[in-house]
Amino acid sequence: MIVVQNLKKKFGTNEVLKDISTTIQEKEVVCVIGPSGSGKSTFLRCLNLLEDVTSGKVVIGDVEVTSPNTNIDHLRQNVGMVFQLFNLFPHLTVLENIMLAPKHIKKTDKQQNEQKAMELLNKVGLAGKRDAYPDQLSGGQQQRVAIARALAMNPRVMLFDEPTSALDPEMVGEVLQVMKDLAHEGITMIVVTHEMGFAREVADRVIFMDGGYIVEEGSPSELFDSPKHERTQAFLSKIL
Ligand code: ADP
Ligand code: MG
């Protein structure tokens, strides 16, 4: 589903991604962990061209992301992204937030679009909030709407960048539960997270990044119970 070959990304002279190669299968759930500044967000942002890639190749499904003629709208239909801060449009209701992108990009018929939006709101447990505005919702509810909004384009891949980091602790669980449900439905997901319990339970594979490299990757038990690399061990000993 996703092929990344020798991906490098520089900001000026600062090489933030040094040589990233990995392959992600359809329906795989991959968690990316690592210290702050290791390049996790930049990696995700390169996958959907929120950053332009310095060199290397990224292919997602049938879209060669790094080709100069990539159609960004087509790419973004295939790749949903959820950020740390929910970035909902404050002047639109919950339902309108979810219907916006399909309306503009897919030109979906209004009735069909609304029906799909309501299905997604049901899925994230917020059907009753369809006419609320974002500032009337808790952080956890806003993030669940943001997930529904990303799903509205029927993406083939969902990217999550620390989706629970900005939430009050009591709201983390409800968002992780929605993500677990998606994982069980077989959606291909890449999740940057500090939630090691989630990674252990839900991930098919965990990638540890440090200093712009993938230092180590493996199953959750390989990575958490018997990390091979000394940098992985040092990182895990600080957070577990
Ligand atoms: P992480 O998500 O692992 O904390 P990031 O990918 O956000 O790491 O950042 C990796 C490095 O890239 C950091 O040193 C950061 O300062 C730098 N960086 C990220 N975005 C930019 C940018 N837009 N311009 C310049 N430097 C950036
Ligand atoms: Mg980050």
Side-chain angles (χ1 to χ4, degrees):
M1 173 64 72
I2 304 180
V3 179
V4 178
Q5 278 172 351
N6 307 109
L7 171 63
K8 297 185 184 179
K9 171 64 185 171
K10 287 184 190 171
F11 291 107
T13 55
N14 182 15
E15 192 168 48
V16 168
L17 297 180
K18 294 196 169 121
D19 192 359
I20 303 280
S21 296
T22 192
T23 302
I24 291 165
Q25 307 300 324
E26 187 162 11
K27 302 189 177 193
E28 201 177 5
V29 177
V30 174
C31 285
V32 180
I33 64 171
S36 176
S38 57
K40 305 180 299 296
S41 294
T42 304
F43 173 55
L44 283 196
R45 293 166 62 82
C46 284
L47 297 182
N48 71 348
L49 289 184
L50 288 173
E51 302 290 352
D52 58 335
V53 166
T54 305
S55 65
K57 187 170 172 182
V58 177
V59 180
I60 299 184
D62 56 357
V63 182
E64 186 180 341
V65 176
T66 39
S67 151
N69 346 320
T70 297
N71 176 332
I72 292 201
D73 281 347
H74 181 56
L75 172 67
R76 302 258 165 88
Q77 284 178 44
N78 281 286
V79 185
M81 183 140 175
V82 175
F83 302 88
Q84 189 171 347
L85 296 172
F86 341 113
N87 304 315
L88 296 175
F89 297 105
H91 59 292
L92 298 180
T93 66
V94 163
L95 194 70
E96 288 164 348
N97 263 281
I98 298 173
M99 289 173 63
L100 190 65
K103 179 167 112 188
H104 283 290
I105 298 181
K106 282 201 166 165
K107 315 254 184 263
T108 315
D109 155 63
K110 179 157 189 249
Q111 205 180 340
Q112 222 181 321
N113 190 1
E114 180 168 331
Q115 192 184 340
K116 168 85 182 173
M118 284 309 298
E119 266 169 41
L120 291 170
L121 272 180
N122 267 313
K123 185 186 295 225
V124 301
L126 289 171
K129 297 290 184 188
R130 54 171 280 160
D131 297 319
Y133 286 88
D135 68 0
Q136 298 170 314
L137 303 180
S138 71
Q141 290 171 331
Q142 289 184 54
Q143 192 61 301
R144 282 145 69 198
V145 173
I147 293 171
R149 183 178 59 174
L151 290 169
M153 298 297 285
N154 284 321
R156 303 181 65 177
V157 178
M158 285 283 284
L159 309 177
F160 293 87
D161 192 0
E162 299 195 27
T164 59
S165 301
L167 297 176
D168 291 334
E170 72 270 25
M171 293 168 189
V172 169
E174 68 196 52
V175 172
L176 293 179
Q177 185 58 50
V178 166
M179 294 167 62
K180 269 181 217 175
D181 294 345
L182 296 180
H184 290 140
E185 276 179 38
I187 296 187
T188 309
M189 296 171 40
I190 307 182
V191 184
V192 174
T193 188
H194 295 293
E195 296 290 336
M196 298 302 149
F198 175 86
R200 189 185 268 279
E201 188 187 332
V202 181
D204 297 304
R205 180 154 51 110
V206 181
I207 290 178
F208 172 66
M209 283 183 66
D210 194 13
Y213 292 101
I214 293 178
V215 172
E216 184 166 351
E217 56 184 309
S219 69
S221 71
E222 284 168 341
L223 208 101
F224 291 124
D225 299 333
S226 42
K228 291 190 190 67
H229 202 289
E230 156 268 311
R231 278 150 80 187
T232 320
Q233 292 162 3
F235 175 73
L236 291 174
S237 72
K238 274 184 237 156
I239 56 159
L240 291 180

